């Protein structure tokens, strides 16, 4: 699903965000990427979302590599992804249900199934009652849940969650992590970046540590 | 296409949100466009009605020949027979002064009372000659040279003046169509660009979720189309009322003026203005989307 070989990323201002990253993720895997702020976690997710492209090395996502300007293939890739953003990226002025459905409107999901998927996803994150609430009236934690529900409804092959527990209290953060872990199945891999290592449940199968753009350790 | 139909409700909803986000600016633009389309509609109506009047007068290709009033009826009938023989003459009718008076009474309708101000019948008897328009010059010469004819009146001068007037209105029409086209394109294009700037965050989110350009662009395209076509529809309705009023004002005092049927004219005008406004709205939206994309 993800195959990175000696991938480095340098931004135009000269900042080196990632150095010689080697990473392989298979379908059904759950991977935590940890490290302090500025260690390159978000940069790695940006590479995986084709928002940035490797300066050196090769990166294959879902069996192919992507380059700048390949608008069509990049959009196709993104339709298979389930991104959970730090700032949620929910559309203001729209309800929770509308936001979830918006993530599906351009996928090959029949119109009749869209609402069903969205309602089920809302129920799964425990916010069925908030379906018709505009997102600006929801709390931080509820917004994070809605952004996860948007991912769940899309039924993606790869979930990429960028600091999903940031700014949440311990209880809410654990709930969010539990939700994301629950998204993993035989087909779907989940990558979660977090600096809050103390929240990672024990006996997780993969934790990758990044420090100053270098992959320090990878444990199976 | 299937996706477009499934999302039609969503696209209209989004277009509504885009309009509401900058309501005052959109409303001002809507009424401005309605006003310029109304001006265009009125000029077009004048152009088309002018053409209709010219065509009607052309079809009534006839000349009036005046003869000495002291001629006997037999002599006048012989004169009519002689005129009938001229090549290009279709029919010669003897119109007495009384017949001419009656005709004018019918034409003037309610206004016929003006005729009562004359002590005597002001009309002269004439020979009304219906002719083939192509042979107008030859027929005129032959009629003028016929013994017993004192004076010949034709409608060439009226036709020439109408043609000049119609030409001026047509020129004004082209000028206004160009002005309307440019201003609508600029207004819509600017509105769409502003709309895109105001929704940049939402567009970026959609891009990250993998939405195709067409999906992102369609609500903006629809916004431009709705505003412009809406302006066109309002202009067509107002033009309909204005024309009904004008026809009543012109038609009553000038009943002999061959005006086109009001219903047909309004329908033709409405279809043209609405289609043109929709087309310009679409073109303006595409231009706005194109410039917004190239800027980003």
């Amino acid at each position: 699903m993800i195959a990175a070989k000696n991938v480095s990323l340098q931004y135009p201002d000269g900042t080196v965000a990632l150095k010689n990253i080697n990473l392989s993720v298979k379908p059904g895997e759950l991977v935590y990427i940890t490290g302090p702020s500025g260690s390159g976690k978000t940069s790695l997710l940006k590479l995986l979302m084709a928002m940035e492209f490797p300066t050196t090395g090769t990166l294959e996502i879902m069996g192919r590599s992507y380059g700048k300007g390949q608008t069509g293939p990049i959009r196709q890739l993104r339709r298979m992804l389930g991104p959970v953003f730090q700032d949620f990226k929910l559309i203001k002025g729209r309800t929770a249900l509308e936001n979830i459905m918006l993530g599906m409107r351009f996928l090959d999901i029949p119109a009749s199934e869209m609402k069903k998927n969205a309602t089920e996803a809302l129920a799964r994150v425990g916010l069925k009652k908030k379906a018709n609430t505009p997102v600006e009236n929801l709390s931080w934690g509820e917004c994070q849940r809605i952004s996860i529900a948007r991912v769940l409804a899309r039924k993606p092959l790869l979930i990429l969650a960028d600091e999903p527990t940031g700014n949440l209290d311990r209880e809410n953060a654990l709930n969010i992590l539990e939700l994301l872990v629950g998204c993993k199945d035989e087909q779907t891999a989940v990558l979660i970046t977090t600096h809050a290592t103390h929240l990672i449940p024990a006996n997780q199968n993969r934790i990758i540590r990044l420090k100053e753009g270098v992959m320090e350790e990878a444990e199976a | 296409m299937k996706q477009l139909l499934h999302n039609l409700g969503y696209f209209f909803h989004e277009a509504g949100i885009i309009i509401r986000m900058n309501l005052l600016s959109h409303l001002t633009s809507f009424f401005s466009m309605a006003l310029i389309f109304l001006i265009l509609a009125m000029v077009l109506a004048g152009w088309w009605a002018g053409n209709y009047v010219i065509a009607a007068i052309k079809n009534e290709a006839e000349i009036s020949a005046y003869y000495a009033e002291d001629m006997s009826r037999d002599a006048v009938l012989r004169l009519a027979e002689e005129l009938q023989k001229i090549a290009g003459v279709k029919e010669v009718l003897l119109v007495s002064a009384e017949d001419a008076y009656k005709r004018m009474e019918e034409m003037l309708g309610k206004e016929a009372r003006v005729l009562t101000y004359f002590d005597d019948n002001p009309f002269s008897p004439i020979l009304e000659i219906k002719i083939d328009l192509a042979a107008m010059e030859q027929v005129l010469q032959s009629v003028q040279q016929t013994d017993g004819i004192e004076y010949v009146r034709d409608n060439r001068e009226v036709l020439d003046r109408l043609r000049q007037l119609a030409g001026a209105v047509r020129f004004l029409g082209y000028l206004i169509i160009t002005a309307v086209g440019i201003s609508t394109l600029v207004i819509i294009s600017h509105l769409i660009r502003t709309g895109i700037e105001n929704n940049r965050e939402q567009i970026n989110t959609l891009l990250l979720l993998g939405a195709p350009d067409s999906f992102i662009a369609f609500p903006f395209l629809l916004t431009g189309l709705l505003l412009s076509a809406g302006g066109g529809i309002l202009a067509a309705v107002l033009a309909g009322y204005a024309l009904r009023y004008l026809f009543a004002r012109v038609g009553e005092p000038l009943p002999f003026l061959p005006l086109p049927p009001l219903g047909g004219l309004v329908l033709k005008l409405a279809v043209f203005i609405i289609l043109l406004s929709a087309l310009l709205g679409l073109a303006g939206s595409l231009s706005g989307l194109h410039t917004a994309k190239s800027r980003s």
Side-chain angles (χ1 to χ4, degrees):
Chain A
M1 190 165 267
I2 297 171
K5 284 178 192 161
N6 300 318
V7 168
S8 296
L9 173 65
Q10 185 174 9
Y11 287 112
D13 65 357
T15 312
V16 179
L18 295 167
K19 292 172 204 161
N20 292 320
I21 300 291
N22 288 291
L23 175 68
S24 170
V25 177
K26 295 187 186 89
E29 274 195 289
L30 167 66
V31 181
Y32 284 94
I33 301 165
T34 65
S37 295
S39 60
K41 301 187 298 291
T42 301
S43 292
L44 180 59
L45 287 197
K46 280 185 174 176
L47 281 178
L48 298 176
M49 278 192 254
M51 290 165 75
E52 298 290 346
F53 304 95
T55 317
T56 58
T58 57
L59 172 64
E60 283 190 1
I61 313 160
M62 312 273 182
R64 69 162 288 179
S65 54
Y66 299 87
K68 210 171 185 178
Q70 294 178 314
T71 314
I74 289 172
R75 301 281 174 86
Q76 271 182 339
L77 165 73
R78 287 177 182 171
R79 277 172 231 153
M80 293 186 274
L81 302 179
V84 179
F85 303 100
Q86 275 189 56
D87 57 353
F88 323 128
K89 295 208 185 299
L90 296 175
I91 313 295
K92 285 173 196 155
R94 276 59 157 194
T95 64
L97 188 71
E98 282 170 346
N99 263 281
I100 296 167
M101 285 181 69
L102 183 59
M104 287 186 280
R105 289 195 179 276
F106 40 85
L107 305 179
D108 288 327
I109 299 175
S112 55
E113 267 184 46
M114 265 197 292
K115 196 164 184 181
K116 190 172 143 257
N117 283 7
T119 315
E120 279 174 6
L122 267 173
R124 214 165 140 190
V125 300
L127 289 175
K128 204 173 174 181
K129 285 182 181 171
K130 303 274 183 171
N132 296 316
T133 307
V135 287
E136 55 269 33
N137 295 346
L138 297 175
S139 70
W140 192 271
E142 285 171 331
C143 281
Q144 190 62 286
R145 283 165 182 271
I146 297 299
S147 73
I148 292 171
R150 182 171 65 188
V151 165
L152 288 173
R154 281 160 63 94
K155 300 190 191 306
L157 294 174
L158 175 61
I159 294 174
L160 303 166
D162 189 14
E163 296 282 4
T165 56
N167 295 316
L168 292 180
D169 58 50
R170 185 181 165 80
E171 195 187 331
N172 268 314
L174 285 172
N175 284 338
I176 292 292
L177 283 182
E178 198 183 314
L179 268 174
L180 285 168
V181 172
C183 297
K184 181 179 80 89
D185 61 26
E186 279 182 12
Q187 312 245 298
T188 309
V190 181
L191 255 82
I192 303 168
T193 71
T194 181
H195 63 272
T197 45
H198 61 284
L199 293 174
I200 300 173
N203 305 322
Q204 291 301 317
N205 48 0
R206 277 189 87 182
I207 301 172
I208 291 168
R209 176 176 288 276
L210 280 174
K211 192 179 178 188
E212 292 175 357
V214 179
M215 219 161 94
E216 259 196 349
E217 58 185 85
E219 39 184 83
Chain B
M1 193 64 186
K2 199 174 159 190
Q3 213 172 64
L4 181 103
L5 290 174
H6 280 161
N7 287 319
L8 211 55
Y10 160 77
F11 289 138
F12 273 100
H13 182 65
E14 285 297 305
I17 291 174
I18 293 168
I19 291 171
R20 280 200 302 275
M21 273 174 82
N22 207 349
L23 190 62
L24 190 67
S25 170
H26 283 111
L27 275 181
T28 318
S29 307
F30 171 78
F31 286 114
S32 307
M33 281 187 290
L35 187 66
I36 52 179
F37 282 125
L38 177 64
I39 295 169
L40 174 66
M42 296 316 288
V43 173
L44 281 178
W47 177 358
W48 293 342
N51 284 346
Y52 183 87
V53 171
I54 291 169
I57 292 175
K58 263 188 188 171
N59 287 337
E60 288 169 11
E62 62 180 35
I63 55 177
S64 304
Y66 291 80
Y67 53 87
E69 286 190 32
D70 54 2
M71 271 176 87
S72 68
R73 185 168 172 81
D74 286 347
V76 174
L77 287 173
R78 274 199 302 278
L79 184 60
E81 274 173 27
E82 204 175 325
L83 291 174
Q84 185 72 65
K85 287 173 193 161
I86 297 170
V89 171
K90 289 179 182 172
E91 192 183 6
V92 179
L93 283 174
L94 179 59
V95 180
S96 67
E98 291 73 31
D99 288 340
Y101 190 94
K102 273 183 200 161
R103 277 185 184 182
M104 190 50 77
E105 261 186 334
E106 282 168 17
M107 273 190 202
L108 291 176
K110 287 178 192 169
E111 307 298 324
R113 62 180 181 278
V114 294
L115 294 172
T116 58
Y117 295 121
F118 296 97
D119 293 331
D120 300 314
N121 182 352
F123 300 100
S124 305
I126 53 161
L127 287 165
E128 195 175 86
I129 307 166
K130 291 196 185 301
I131 58 164
D132 180 358
L133 191 69
M136 169 82 94
E137 284 299 325
Q138 300 92 300
V139 175
L140 265 175
Q141 271 186 0
S142 306
V143 174
Q144 276 164 344
Q145 286 162 7
T146 307
D147 283 342
I149 297 295
E150 287 189 332
Y151 169 66
V152 178
R153 196 189 67 201
D154 64 83
N155 56 5
R156 277 185 307 177
E157 202 179 325
V158 178
L159 270 175
D160 284 345
R161 282 192 185 169
L162 274 174
R163 275 199 200 102
Q164 281 172 357
L165 191 68
V169 174
R170 188 165 52 235
F171 176 72
L172 195 66
Y174 286 135
L175 211 66
I176 291 183
I177 284 180
T178 312
V180 165
I182 293 170
S183 50
T184 308
L185 284 178
V186 169
I187 292 173
I188 294 291
S189 178
H190 175 73
L191 279 178
I192 297 306
R193 269 200 308 276
T194 313
I196 288 169
E197 286 310 316
N198 291 341
N199 288 279
R200 185 59 73 188
E201 217 178 301
Q202 178 182 345
I203 292 170
N204 285 341
T205 302
L206 285 169
L207 287 173
L208 288 173
L209 291 172
D213 283 347
S214 55
F215 180 86
I216 297 170
F218 204 81
F220 295 99
L221 205 71
L222 202 58
T223 306
L225 187 70
L226 287 174
L227 285 172
S228 183
I233 291 169
L234 180 61
V237 171
L238 291 176
Y241 282 111
L243 283 175
R244 189 188 292 179
Y245 174 78
L246 281 175
F247 268 49
R249 300 284 291 182
V250 175
E252 270 180 31
L254 301 170
F256 46 84
L257 196 69
L259 290 173
L262 180 62
L265 180 70
V266 170
L267 183 70
K268 192 174 152 189
L269 203 61
V271 170
F272 182 81
I273 292 290
I274 293 167
L275 283 180
L276 181 75
S277 59
L279 203 69
L280 286 172
L282 210 61
S285 302
L286 287 173
S287 150
L289 285 166
H290 179 73
T291 46
K293 197 175 175 187
S294 54
R295 274 183 198 179
S296 68

